[in-house]
Coordinates of all heavy atoms in Angstrom, one line a residue:
M275 N 77.8 94.1 75.1 CA 78.3 94.3 76.4 C 78.6 92.9 77.1 O 79.6 92.5 77.7 CB 77.4 95.1 77.3 CG 77.9 95.3 78.7 SD 79.3 96.5 78.7 CE 79.4 96.9 80.4
K276 N 77.5 92.0 76.9 CA 77.7 90.6 77.5 C 78.8 89.8 76.9 O 79.4 89.1 77.5 CB 76.3 89.8 77.3 CG 75.4 90.1 78.3 CD 74.2 89.1 78.3 CE 73.4 89.4 79.5 NZ 72.2 88.3 79.5
S277 N 78.9 90.0 75.5 CA 80.0 89.3 74.8 C 81.3 89.8 75.3 O 82.1 88.9 75.4 CB 79.9 89.3 73.2 OG 80.1 90.7 73.0
T278 N 81.5 90.9 75.5 CA 82.8 91.4 76.0 C 83.1 90.8 77.4 O 84.3 90.4 77.7 CB 82.8 93.0 76.1 OG1 82.4 93.5 74.9 CG2 84.1 93.6 76.6
I279 N 82.0 90.8 78.3 CA 82.2 90.3 79.7 C 82.6 88.8 79.5 O 83.4 88.3 80.2 CB 81.0 90.6 80.6 CG1 80.9 92.0 80.8 CG2 81.1 89.9 81.8 CD1 79.7 92.4 81.5
R280 N 81.8 88.1 78.7 CA 82.1 86.7 78.4 C 83.4 86.4 78.0 O 84.1 85.5 78.4 CB 81.0 86.1 77.5 CG 81.1 84.6 77.4 CD 79.9 84.1 76.4 NE 78.7 84.4 77.0 CZ 77.6 84.9 76.3 NH1 77.6 84.8 74.9 NH2 76.5 85.1 76.8
R281 N 84.0 87.2 77.0 CA 85.3 87.1 76.6 C 86.3 87.3 77.6 O 87.4 86.5 77.7 CB 85.6 87.9 75.3 CG 85.0 87.4 74.1 CD 85.4 88.2 72.9 NE 84.4 89.3 72.8 CZ 84.7 90.5 72.3 NH1 85.9 90.9 71.9 NH2 83.7 91.5 72.3
V282 N 86.2 88.3 78.4 CA 87.1 88.6 79.5 C 87.1 87.3 80.5 O 88.2 86.9 80.9 CB 86.7 89.8 80.2 CG1 87.5 90.1 81.5 CG2 87.0 91.1 79.3
R283 N 85.9 87.0 80.8 CA 85.9 85.7 81.8 C 86.6 84.4 81.1 O 87.4 83.7 82.0 CB 84.4 85.4 82.0 CG 83.8 86.3 83.1 CD 82.4 85.9 83.3 NE 81.8 86.8 84.3 CZ 80.5 86.9 84.5 NH1 79.7 86.1 83.9 NH2 80.0 87.8 85.2
E284 N 86.5 84.2 80.0 CA 87.1 83.1 79.2 C 88.6 83.3 79.3 O 89.3 82.4 79.5 CB 86.5 82.9 77.9 CG 85.1 82.4 77.9 CD 84.4 82.3 76.4 OE1 85.3 82.5 75.4 OE2 83.3 82.0 76.3
A285 N 88.9 84.5 79.0 CA 90.4 84.7 78.9 C 91.0 84.5 80.4 O 92.2 84.0 80.5 CB 90.7 86.2 78.5
I286 N 90.3 85.0 81.3 CA 90.7 84.7 82.8 C 90.9 83.2 83.0 O 91.8 82.8 83.7 CB 90.0 85.5 83.7 CG1 90.0 87.0 83.6 CG2 90.2 85.0 85.2 CD1 89.1 87.9 84.5
R287 N 90.0 82.6 82.7 CA 89.9 81.0 83.0 C 91.1 80.4 82.2 O 91.6 79.5 82.7 CB 88.5 80.4 82.4 CG 87.4 80.8 83.5 CD 86.2 80.0 83.1 NE 85.0 80.7 83.7 CZ 83.9 80.9 83.1 NH1 83.8 80.7 81.9 NH2 82.9 81.5 83.9
R288 N 91.3 80.7 80.9 CA 92.3 80.2 80.2 C 93.8 80.5 80.7 O 94.7 79.5 80.6 CB 92.3 80.6 78.7 CG 91.2 80.0 78.0 CD 91.3 80.3 76.5 NE 91.2 81.8 76.4 CZ 90.5 82.4 75.5 NH1 89.9 81.8 74.6 NH2 90.4 83.8 75.5
R289 N 93.9 81.7 81.2 CA 95.2 82.0 81.8 C 95.6 81.1 83.0 O 94.8 81.1 84.0 CB 95.2 83.4 82.2 CG 96.5 83.9 82.6 CD 96.4 85.3 83.0 NE 97.8 85.8 83.2 CZ 98.1 87.0 83.1 NH1 97.4 87.9 82.6 NH2 99.4 87.4 83.4
R290 N 96.7 80.3 82.8 CA 97.1 79.6 83.9 C 98.0 80.3 84.9 O 98.7 81.2 84.5 CB 97.8 78.3 83.5 CG 99.1 78.4 83.0 CD 99.7 77.1 82.5 NE 100.9 77.4 81.8 CZ 102.0 77.3 82.3 NH1 102.2 76.9 83.5 NH2 103.1 77.6 81.7
F291 N 98.0 79.9 86.2 CA 98.8 80.6 87.2 C 100.1 79.9 87.3 O 100.2 78.7 87.5 CB 98.1 80.5 88.6 CG 99.0 81.1 89.6 CD1 99.1 82.5 89.7 CD2 99.5 80.2 90.6 CE1 99.8 83.2 90.7 CE2 100.2 81.0 91.5 CZ 100.4 82.1 91.6
D292 N 101.2 80.7 86.8 CA 102.5 80.1 86.8 C 103.3 80.6 88.0 O 104.4 80.2 88.1 CB 103.2 80.4 85.5 CG 103.4 81.9 85.3 OD1 102.9 82.7 86.0 OD2 104.1 82.1 84.2
G293 N 102.8 81.3 88.8 CA 103.6 81.7 89.9 C 104.6 82.9 89.9 O 105.3 83.2 90.7
S294 N 104.5 83.5 88.6 CA 105.6 84.5 88.4 C 105.5 85.7 89.4 O 106.4 86.2 89.9 CB 105.7 84.8 87.0 OG 104.5 85.5 86.5
G295 N 104.3 86.2 89.4 CA 104.0 87.4 90.1 C 104.3 87.1 91.6 O 104.7 87.9 92.3
F296 N 103.9 85.8 92.1 CA 104.0 85.5 93.4 C 105.4 85.4 93.8 O 105.9 85.9 94.8 CB 103.4 84.0 93.7 CG 103.6 83.6 95.0 CD1 102.8 84.1 96.0 CD2 104.5 82.5 95.4 CE1 102.9 83.8 97.4 CE2 104.7 82.1 96.6 CZ 103.9 82.7 97.7
A297 N 106.3 84.8 93.0 CA 107.8 84.8 93.3 C 108.5 86.2 93.4 O 109.2 86.4 94.3 CB 108.6 83.9 92.2
I298 N 108.1 87.1 92.5 CA 108.6 88.3 92.6 C 108.2 89.1 93.8 O 109.0 89.7 94.5 CB 108.3 89.1 91.2 CG1 109.0 88.4 90.0 CG2 108.7 90.5 91.3 CD1 108.6 88.9 88.7
A299 N 106.8 89.0 94.1 CA 106.3 89.6 95.2 C 106.9 89.1 96.5 O 107.2 90.0 97.4 CB 104.7 89.6 95.1
L300 N 107.0 87.8 96.6 CA 107.6 87.3 97.8 C 109.1 87.7 98.0 O 109.2 88.2 99.1 CB 107.6 85.7 97.6 CG 108.3 85.0 98.9 CD1 107.4 85.1 100.1 CD2 108.5 83.5 98.4
W301 N 109.9 87.7 97.1 CA 111.3 88.1 97.3 C 111.3 89.6 97.6 O 112.1 90.0 98.4 CB 112.1 87.7 96.1 CG 112.4 86.3 96.2 CD1 112.0 85.3 95.3 CD2 113.1 85.6 97.2 NE1 112.4 84.0 95.8 CE2 113.2 84.2 96.9 CE3 113.8 86.0 98.4 CZ2 113.8 83.3 97.7 CZ3 114.4 85.0 99.1 CH2 114.5 83.8 98.7
A302 N 110.4 90.3 96.9 CA 110.4 91.9 97.2 C 109.9 92.1 98.6 O 110.6 93.0 99.3 CB 109.5 92.4 96.2
L303 N 108.9 91.4 99.1 CA 108.5 91.7 100.5 C 109.5 91.2 101.5 O 109.7 92.0 102.4 CB 107.2 91.0 100.7 CG 105.9 91.5 100.0 CD1 104.7 90.5 100.2 CD2 105.6 92.8 100.7
L304 N 110.2 90.0 101.1 CA 111.3 89.7 102.1 C 112.4 90.6 102.0 O 113.0 91.0 103.1 CB 111.9 88.2 101.8 CG 110.8 87.1 102.1 CD1 111.3 85.9 101.5 CD2 110.7 87.0 103.5
F305 N 112.8 91.3 101.0 CA 113.8 92.2 100.9 C 113.6 93.5 101.6 O 114.2 94.0 102.4 CB 114.2 92.5 99.4 CG 115.3 93.5 99.2 CD1 116.5 93.1 99.3 CD2 115.0 94.7 98.7 CE1 117.6 94.1 99.2 CE2 116.0 95.7 98.5 CZ 117.3 95.4 98.7
I306 N 112.4 94.1 101.4 CA 111.9 95.3 102.0 C 111.6 95.0 103.4 O 112.1 95.8 104.3 CB 110.7 95.8 101.4 CG1 111.0 96.2 100.0 CG2 110.0 96.9 102.1 CD1 109.8 96.5 99.0
G307 N 111.0 93.9 103.8 CA 110.8 93.7 105.3 C 112.0 93.4 106.0 O 112.1 93.8 107.2
S308 N 113.0 92.7 105.5 CA 114.2 92.5 106.3 C 114.9 93.9 106.5 O 115.4 94.0 107.5 CB 115.2 91.6 105.5 OG 115.5 92.0 104.2
H309 N 114.8 94.8 105.5 CA 115.4 96.1 105.7 C 114.7 96.8 106.8 O 115.4 97.5 107.7 CB 115.4 96.8 104.5 CG 116.6 96.5 103.5 ND1 116.7 95.3 102.9 CD2 117.7 97.3 103.2 CE1 117.8 95.4 102.1 NE2 118.4 96.5 102.3
L310 N 113.4 96.7 106.8 CA 112.7 97.5 107.7 C 112.9 96.9 109.2 O 113.0 97.7 110.2 CB 111.1 97.5 107.5 CG 110.7 98.3 106.3 CD1 109.3 98.0 106.0 CD2 111.0 99.7 106.4
V311 N 112.9 95.7 109.4 CA 113.1 95.1 110.6 C 114.4 95.2 111.1 O 114.7 95.8 112.3 CB 112.8 93.5 110.6 CG1 113.2 92.8 111.9 CG2 111.3 93.4 110.3
I312 N 115.6 94.9 110.3 CA 116.9 94.8 110.9 C 117.4 96.3 111.1 O 118.2 96.6 112.0 CB 117.9 94.1 109.8 CG1 117.5 92.7 109.8 CG2 119.2 94.2 110.2 CD1 118.2 91.8 108.8
S313 N 116.9 97.3 110.3 CA 117.3 98.6 110.5 C 116.5 99.4 111.4 O 116.9 100.6 111.8 CB 117.4 99.3 109.2 OG 116.1 99.5 108.7
S314 N 115.5 98.7 112.0 CA 114.8 99.5 113.1 C 115.6 99.8 114.3 O 116.6 99.1 114.6 CB 113.6 98.8 113.4 OG 113.9 97.6 114.2
R315 N 115.4 100.8 115.1 CA 116.2 101.2 116.0 C 116.3 100.2 117.2 O 117.4 99.9 117.7 CB 115.6 102.6 116.6 CG 116.6 103.2 117.8 CD 116.0 104.6 118.2 NE 116.3 105.5 117.1 CZ 115.6 106.6 116.8 NH1 114.9 107.2 117.8 NH2 116.0 107.4 115.9
V316 N 115.2 99.5 117.6 CA 115.2 98.6 118.6 C 116.1 97.3 118.3 O 116.9 96.9 119.0 CB 113.8 98.2 118.9 CG1 113.8 97.0 120.0 CG2 112.9 99.2 119.5
V317 N 115.9 96.7 117.0 CA 116.7 95.6 116.7 C 118.1 95.9 116.4 O 119.0 95.1 116.9 CB 116.0 95.0 115.3 CG1 116.8 93.9 114.9 CG2 114.6 94.6 115.7
R318 N 118.3 97.1 115.9 CA 119.7 97.5 115.7 C 120.5 97.6 116.9 O 121.6 97.1 117.1 CB 119.8 98.8 114.9 CG 121.2 99.3 114.5 CD 121.2 100.7 113.8 NE 122.5 101.1 113.6 CZ 123.1 101.0 112.4 NH1 122.5 100.5 111.4 NH2 124.3 101.4 112.3
L319 N 119.9 98.3 118.0 CA 120.6 98.5 119.3 C 120.8 97.0 120.0 O 121.8 96.7 120.5 CB 119.9 99.4 120.1 CG 119.7 100.9 119.8 CD1 118.8 101.6 120.8 CD2 121.1 101.4 119.8
R320 N 119.8 96.1 119.8 CA 120.0 94.8 120.4 C 121.0 94.1 119.8 O 121.6 93.2 120.4 CB 118.6 94.1 120.4 CG 117.6 94.6 121.4 CD 116.5 93.8 121.4 NE 115.5 94.3 122.5 CZ 114.3 93.9 122.6 NH1 113.9 92.8 122.1 NH2 113.6 94.3 123.6
L321 N 121.1 94.2 118.5 CA 122.2 93.5 117.7 C 123.6 94.0 117.9 O 124.6 93.3 118.0 CB 121.9 93.3 116.1 CG 120.8 92.4 115.9 CD1 120.4 92.5 114.4 CD2 121.1 91.0 116.2
T322 N 123.7 95.4 117.9 CA 125.1 95.9 117.9 C 125.6 95.8 119.4 O 126.9 95.9 119.5 CB 124.9 97.5 117.5 OG1 123.9 98.1 118.3 CG2 124.7 97.5 116.0
A323 N 124.8 95.9 120.3 CA 125.3 95.7 121.7 C 126.3 94.5 121.9 O 127.4 94.6 122.3 CB 124.3 95.8 122.7
P324 N 125.7 93.2 121.6 CA 126.6 92.2 121.7 C 127.7 91.8 120.8 O 128.7 91.3 121.0 CB 125.7 90.9 121.9 CG 124.4 91.3 121.3 CD 124.4 92.8 121.3
I325 N 127.4 92.1 119.5 CA 128.2 91.8 118.3 C 129.1 93.0 117.7 O 130.1 92.7 117.0 CB 127.5 91.1 117.3 CG1 126.5 92.0 116.6 CG2 126.7 89.8 117.7 CD1 125.9 91.5 115.2
G326 N 128.7 94.1 118.0 CA 129.4 95.3 117.4 C 128.9 95.7 116.3 O 128.2 95.1 115.5
E327 N 129.3 97.1 115.8 CA 128.8 97.6 114.8 C 129.3 96.9 113.4 O 128.5 97.0 112.5 CB 129.2 99.1 114.7 CG 128.6 99.9 113.7 CD 127.1 100.2 113.9 OE1 126.7 100.4 115.0 OE2 126.3 100.3 112.9
R328 N 130.5 96.6 113.4 CA 131.1 95.9 112.2 C 130.4 94.7 111.8 O 130.1 94.3 110.7 CB 132.6 95.8 112.4 CG 133.3 95.4 111.1 CD 134.8 95.4 111.4 NE 135.5 95.0 110.2 CZ 136.5 95.6 109.6 NH1 137.0 96.7 110.2 NH2 137.1 95.1 108.6
A329 N 130.2 93.8 112.8 CA 129.5 92.5 112.6 C 128.0 92.8 112.2 O 127.6 92.1 111.4 CB 129.6 91.6 113.9
Y330 N 127.5 93.7 112.8 CA 126.1 94.2 112.4 C 125.9 94.4 110.9 O 125.1 94.1 110.2 CB 125.5 95.3 113.4 CG 124.2 95.8 112.9 CD1 123.1 95.2 113.0 CD2 124.3 97.0 111.9 CE1 121.9 95.7 112.5 CE2 123.1 97.6 111.4 CZ 121.8 96.9 111.8 OH 120.7 97.4 111.2
S331 N 126.9 95.2 110.5 CA 127.0 95.7 109.0 C 127.2 94.5 108.2 O 126.6 94.3 107.1 CB 128.1 96.8 108.9 OG 127.9 97.9 109.5
G332 N 127.9 93.5 108.6 CA 128.2 92.3 107.8 C 126.9 91.5 107.6 O 126.5 90.9 106.7
I333 N 126.1 91.4 108.9 CA 125.0 90.5 108.8 C 123.9 91.3 108.0 O 123.2 90.6 107.2 CB 124.5 90.5 110.3 CG1 125.3 89.4 111.1 CG2 123.1 89.9 110.4 CD1 125.2 89.4 112.5
Y334 N 123.8 92.5 108.2 CA 122.9 93.3 107.3 C 123.1 93.2 105.9 O 122.3 92.9 105.1 CB 123.0 94.9 107.7 CG 122.0 95.7 107.2 CD1 120.7 96.0 107.8 CD2 122.1 96.4 106.0 CE1 119.9 96.8 107.4 CE2 121.3 97.2 105.4 CZ 120.0 97.5 106.2 OH 119.0 98.2 105.7
S335 N 124.5 93.2 105.5 CA 124.8 93.0 104.1 C 124.5 91.6 103.5 O 124.0 91.4 102.5 CB 126.4 93.2 103.8 OG 126.6 94.6 104.2
L336 N 124.8 90.6 104.4 CA 124.4 89.1 104.0 C 122.9 89.0 103.9 O 122.5 88.4 102.9 CB 124.9 88.2 105.1 CG 126.5 88.0 105.1 CD1 126.9 87.3 106.3 CD2 127.0 87.5 103.7
V337 N 122.1 89.6 104.7 CA 120.7 89.4 104.7 C 120.3 90.1 103.4 O 119.3 89.7 102.7 CB 119.9 89.9 105.9 CG1 118.4 90.0 105.7 CG2 120.3 89.1 107.1
A338 N 120.7 91.3 103.1 CA 120.4 92.0 101.9 C 120.9 91.2 100.7 O 119.9 91.1 99.7 CB 121.0 93.4 101.8
L339 N 121.9 90.6 100.7 CA 122.3 89.9 99.4 C 121.4 88.6 99.3 O 121.1 88.2 98.2 CB 123.8 89.5 99.4 CG 124.7 90.7 99.1 CD1 126.0 90.2 99.4 CD2 124.6 91.0 97.6
A340 N 121.0 88.0 100.5 CA 120.4 86.8 100.4 C 119.0 86.9 100.0 O 118.2 86.0 99.6 CB 120.5 86.1 101.8
T341 N 118.5 88.2 100.1 CA 117.1 88.4 99.6 C 117.1 89.1 98.1 O 116.1 88.9 97.4 CB 116.4 89.3 100.6 OG1 117.0 90.4 100.9 CG2 116.0 88.4 101.8
F342 N 118.0 90.0 98.0 CA 118.1 90.7 96.6 C 118.6 89.8 95.5 O 117.9 89.9 94.4 CB 119.1 91.8 96.7 CG 119.1 92.7 95.6 CD1 118.0 93.6 95.3 CD2 120.2 92.8 94.7 CE1 118.0 94.3 94.2 CE2 120.1 93.7 93.6 CZ 119.0 94.3 93.3
I343 N 119.5 88.9 95.6 CA 120.0 88.1 94.5 C 118.7 87.2 94.0 O 118.4 87.2 92.8 CB 121.2 87.3 94.9 CG1 122.3 88.2 95.0 CG2 121.5 86.2 93.9 CD1 123.6 87.6 95.6
P344 N 118.0 86.5 94.9 CA 116.9 85.7 94.4 C 115.8 86.6 93.8 O 115.1 86.1 92.9 CB 116.4 84.9 95.7 CG 117.4 85.0 96.6 CD 118.2 86.2 96.3
L345 N 115.6 87.8 94.3 CA 114.6 88.7 93.7 C 115.1 89.1 92.2 O 114.3 89.1 91.4 CB 114.6 90.0 94.5 CG 113.6 91.2 93.8 CD1 112.2 90.7 93.7 CD2 113.8 92.3 94.8
C346 N 116.4 89.2 92.0 CA 116.9 89.6 90.7 C 116.6 88.2 89.7 O 116.3 88.4 88.6 CB 118.3 89.8 90.7 SG 118.6 91.5 91.4
F347 N 117.0 87.2 90.2 CA 116.7 85.9 89.5 C 115.2 85.6 89.1 O 114.9 85.3 88.0 CB 117.3 84.8 90.2 CG 118.7 84.5 90.0 CD1 119.6 84.9 91.0 CD2 119.4 84.2 88.8 CE1 121.0 84.8 90.8 CE2 120.7 84.0 88.6 CZ 121.5 84.2 89.5
A348 N 114.4 86.0 90.1 CA 112.9 85.8 89.8 C 112.4 86.8 88.9 O 111.6 86.4 88.0 CB 112.1 85.9 91.2
F349 N 112.9 87.9 88.9 CA 112.5 89.0 87.9 C 113.0 88.6 86.5 O 112.4 88.7 85.5 CB 113.0 90.4 88.3 CG 112.5 91.4 87.3 CD1 111.3 91.9 87.2 CD2 113.4 91.9 86.5 CE1 110.9 93.0 86.3 CE2 113.2 92.9 85.5 CZ 111.9 93.5 85.4
A350 N 114.4 88.3 86.4 CA 114.8 87.9 85.1 C 114.2 86.7 84.6 O 114.0 86.7 83.3 CB 116.3 87.6 85.3
R351 N 113.8 85.7 85.4 CA 113.0 84.6 84.8 C 111.8 84.8 84.3 O 111.3 84.2 83.4 CB 113.1 83.5 86.0 CG 112.5 82.2 85.5 CD 112.6 81.2 86.6 NE 112.0 79.9 86.2 CZ 111.5 79.0 86.9 NH1 111.5 79.2 88.2 NH2 110.9 78.0 86.4
H352 N 111.1 85.8 85.0 CA 109.6 86.1 84.7 C 109.4 87.4 84.0 O 108.2 87.9 83.9 CB 108.8 85.9 86.0 CG 108.9 84.5 86.5 ND1 108.4 83.4 86.0 CD2 109.5 84.1 87.6 CE1 108.6 82.4 86.7 NE2 109.3 82.7 87.8
K353 N 110.4 88.1 83.6 CA 110.0 89.5 83.0 C 109.3 89.5 81.8 O 108.7 90.5 81.5 CB 111.4 90.2 82.9 CG 112.3 89.8 81.9 CD 113.6 90.6 81.9 CE 114.6 90.1 80.9 NZ 115.8 90.9 81.0
R354 N 109.2 88.4 81.0 CA 108.5 88.5 79.8 C 107.1 87.6 79.8 O 106.6 87.2 78.9 CB 109.3 87.9 78.7 CG 110.4 89.0 78.4 CD 111.2 88.5 77.1 NE 112.2 89.5 76.7 CZ 113.4 89.6 77.2 NH1 113.8 88.7 78.1 NH2 114.3 90.5 76.9
T355 N 106.7 87.4 81.0 CA 105.5 86.5 81.2 C 104.2 87.4 81.2 O 103.2 86.8 81.1 CB 105.5 85.8 82.5 OG1 105.6 86.6 83.6 CG2 106.6 84.7 82.5
G356 N 104.4 88.8 81.0 CA 103.2 89.5 81.0 C 102.9 90.2 82.3 O 103.6 90.1 83.2
A357 N 101.8 90.9 82.4 CA 101.5 91.6 83.5 C 101.0 90.7 84.6 O 100.5 89.6 84.4 CB 100.1 92.6 83.2
M358 N 101.2 91.2 85.9 CA 101.0 90.3 87.0 C 99.6 90.3 87.3 O 98.9 91.4 87.1 CB 101.7 90.9 88.3 CG 103.2 90.6 88.0 SD 104.3 91.1 89.4 CE 103.5 91.7 90.8
P359 N 99.0 89.2 87.5 CA 97.5 89.1 87.6 C 97.0 89.7 88.9 O 97.7 90.0 89.8 CB 97.1 87.7 87.7 CG 98.5 87.0 88.0 CD 99.5 87.9 87.6

């Protein structure tokens, strides 16, 4: 039992942090968070009142693309790095 625990601890120490899980998690949180904030009823009404529904849809689409594209690139770059720690 001790040797197994010792091997696991050594494996954890040897594994270096390359930030792959962090990059994916960051862009995923930004993507989901931006959708939740921008599409909330209060924010949507405050944005559509001065700029209109069409401009709001354009801004919403730009924010979605600005967060989804980096998320795809982060995933593609790190998809073979193994399980996220």
